[in-house]
Structures are given as C-alpha cells and as structure tokens.
C-alpha cells in the first residue's frame, strides 16, 4: 500500500519537464497546497489542469513550531504550506527538491524525497524500464531545471547501471 | 573581511531594521551574515550528496 504524499512545486515542475507527472499516479493521494498550485500555474500553466489526478488542497494554518523552522531556514510560502499540511496528517510523505525544506522536514520527523527518488522508484514500481530511467537521468541537465551537480549525477547513473546490470559508463 | 554592496527591496530592509530594533541582533551587518551563513549551511554540497543518496536508496529499495 503506498502512502499519501504532499508535493511541493519542485517535483511537479521537474516531473512535468521530463514528461513524467504520471509517476505520481500510484500514491494514495497527491496533495498540493493552493499556494503551490498557484506557483505551478504561473510557471507551468499547461501542466496541472490537464492532469486529472492532481487537485489543490485547502490551505492549513502553519503551527508556531513549523513556522519558526520555516523562517529559520528561509523557506518560501509553498514549502511552509506543504509542511503545515503535513503537520496535520500522519504517515504522509513530503516530496520536495529544496534542500532547506528537506532539512526542516527531517527535524519534524517527516519522510521526505525528491524528483530523483521518484524517477528511480518508477523502475521498482514497473512504470518505467531501467533503460528509460537512465536515459531520462542522462537528459536531465538539458530537459529539466532540477539542479544536481554533474559529478553527482554521473555517480548516480553509474551506480544505477551497476545495480540494474546495464553496461557502459555514463 | 570583504565588503559586498547589495540592493535590497524596501520591505526587506524594513524587516532587517525591525529585527535589529527589537534586539535580536546587534546590527544589520550581523543579521545579514547570520542569514547568509544559515542559507549556505542548508544548501551545502555534502547535504545535497546525502539527499541524493537517500533518494537513490528509496528509489531502489523503498518499502512503499
């Protein structure tokens, strides 16, 4: 049984850039705070309205502890709204590509992953072949605004090729 | 020490001034240094590497 997720703008934008929004389809639910929804509509206006799986979640007030952490780590309104929503729910996963938001989520004991994890998970879930995911990862710098250092990305691709038995170096 | 010249929106400048006036920091200079230090700490390369590793581990072997 998959868990419900709360999704920040980063993974939605990056998955859309990689034609991979469908990778969110097997989660129990995908909650997107209204402020994040508005951000996506601004940057990727064609992405969300066409995707039947995704709907905006109502805004939840941020509790004082979460608010203090969000301010301390300079999180934006979307990230804070995600964490506020997560604080009201148990056993819910946070999807974000922002390092500071991940740090805050960790402090709040929230399970958190990013676009990279979603792409690799697609193989385990049978949604993509390993070759497809390698190809997506290799094209990531040219197709997506997701930032990952070239060296780190090359290491990941090499590790995945070894894990999946795909010959060749990246 | 190096001096940087940065342009700030008026609202941000007012927030800086208010924090110092309330006694949270002894000067705007100290506040900016602390804010910058925290920002960079939260985005350190070793942190990015750890998050990438967590993503890879979850992607490959997660139990969801």
């Amino acid at each position: 049984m998959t868990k419900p997720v709360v999704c920040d703008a980063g993974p939605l934008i990056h998955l859309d850039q990689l034609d991979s929004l469908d990778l969110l389809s097997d989660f129990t639910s995908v909650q997107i705070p209204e402020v994040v929804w508005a951000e996506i509509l601004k940057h990727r206006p064609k992405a969300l309205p066409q995707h039947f799986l995704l709907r905006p979640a109502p805004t939840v007030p941020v509790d004082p502890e979460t608010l203090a952490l969000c301010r301390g780590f300079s999180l934006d309104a979307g990230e804070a709204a995600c964490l506020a929503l997560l604080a009201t729910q148990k056993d819910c996963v946070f999807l974000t590509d922002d390092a500071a938001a991940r740090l805050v989520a960790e402090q709040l004991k929230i399970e958190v992953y990013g676009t990279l994890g979603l792409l690799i998970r697609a193989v385990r879930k049978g949604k993509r072949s390993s070759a497809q995911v390698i190809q997506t990862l290799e094209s990531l710098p040219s197709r997506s605004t997701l930032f990952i250092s070239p060296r780190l990305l090359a290491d990941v691709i090499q590790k995945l090729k070894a894990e999946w038995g795909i010959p060749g170096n990246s | 020490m190096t001096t940087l010249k940065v342009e700030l929106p008026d609202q941000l400048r007012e927030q800086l001034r208010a924090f110092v006036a309330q006694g949270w920091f002894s000067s705007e200079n100290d506040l900016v240094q602390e804010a910058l230090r925290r920002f960079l700490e939260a985005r350190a390369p070793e942190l990015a590497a750890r998050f990438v590793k967590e993503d890879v581990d979850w992607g490959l072997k997660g139990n969801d």
Side-chain angles (χ1 to χ4, degrees), chain B residues 6 8 16 25 27-37:
Chain B
V6 207
L8 294 178
L16 269 178
F25 288 86
S27 69
E28 290 175 14
N29 189 74
D30 284 357
L31 199 171
V32 171
Q33 276 190 24
E34 175 67 6
L36 193 55
R37 188 182 62 74

Side-chain angles (χ1 to χ4, degrees), chain A residues 13-166:
Chain A
I13 291 170
H14 300 139
L15 288 174
D16 185 48
Q17 290 169 333
L18 299 166
D19 298 318
S20 299
L21 268 178
D22 63 293
L23 299 188
L24 297 173
S25 64
D26 68 307
F27 289 104
T28 308
S29 67
V30 181
Q31 300 174 77
I32 303 167
E34 284 170 331
V35 62
V36 172
W37 188 271
E39 197 179 335
I40 304 295
L41 290 182
K42 184 177 171 189
H43 296 290
R44 305 286 294 177
K46 292 181 181 170
L48 296 183
Q50 296 176 357
H51 209 285
F52 69 95
L53 289 164
L54 308 174
R55 292 285 177 273
T59 302
V60 173
V62 186
D63 67 274
E65 184 197 0
T66 306
L67 185 62
L69 281 167
C70 291
R71 285 184 172 162
F73 283 85
S74 307
L75 301 193
D76 68 20
E79 291 148 3
C82 287
L83 290 163
L85 193 55
L86 284 153
T88 66
Q89 301 176 29
K90 290 220 182 285
D91 217 21
C92 195
V93 175
F94 182 27
L95 301 176
T96 183
D97 287 324
D98 185 87
R102 271 182 94 134
L103 271 182
V104 173
E106 281 184 352
Q107 295 208 18
L108 295 170
K109 313 279 186 228
I110 293 167
E111 195 177 350
V112 55
Y113 304 106
T115 298
L116 192 65
L118 288 165
L119 290 169
I120 298 165
R121 175 183 180 272
V123 176
R124 177 163 54 84
K125 290 291 180 181
K127 289 176 167 292
R128 295 287 189 279
S129 69
S130 52
Q132 283 175 315
V133 169
I134 292 294
Q135 194 174 26
T136 301
L137 291 175
E138 285 173 340
S139 70
L140 204 139
S142 62
R143 291 175 62 200
S144 163
T145 51
L146 175 65
F147 179 76
I148 172 169
S149 79
R151 184 170 179 174
L152 204 49
L153 181 60
D155 287 349
V156 167
I157 291 172
Q158 195 170 18
K159 179 183 164 74
L160 292 174
K161 281 182 173 175
E163 183 79 27
W164 290 331
I166 296 175

Side-chain angles (χ1 to χ4, degrees), chain B residues 5-47:
Chain B
K5 188 177 176 184
V6 207
E7 288 188 8
L8 294 178
D10 292 341
Q11 190 186 0
L12 191 56
R13 175 66 206 272
E14 277 313 308
Q15 287 176 306
L16 269 178
R17 211 192 300 267
F19 255 77
V20 175
Q22 289 163 16
W24 292 102
F25 288 86
S26 57
S27 69
E28 290 175 14
N29 189 74
D30 284 357
L31 199 171
V32 171
Q33 276 190 24
E34 175 67 6
L36 193 55
R37 188 182 62 74
R38 282 183 178 235
F39 180 89
L40 293 173
E41 273 179 6
R43 288 157 180 84
E46 55 271 24
L47 202 56

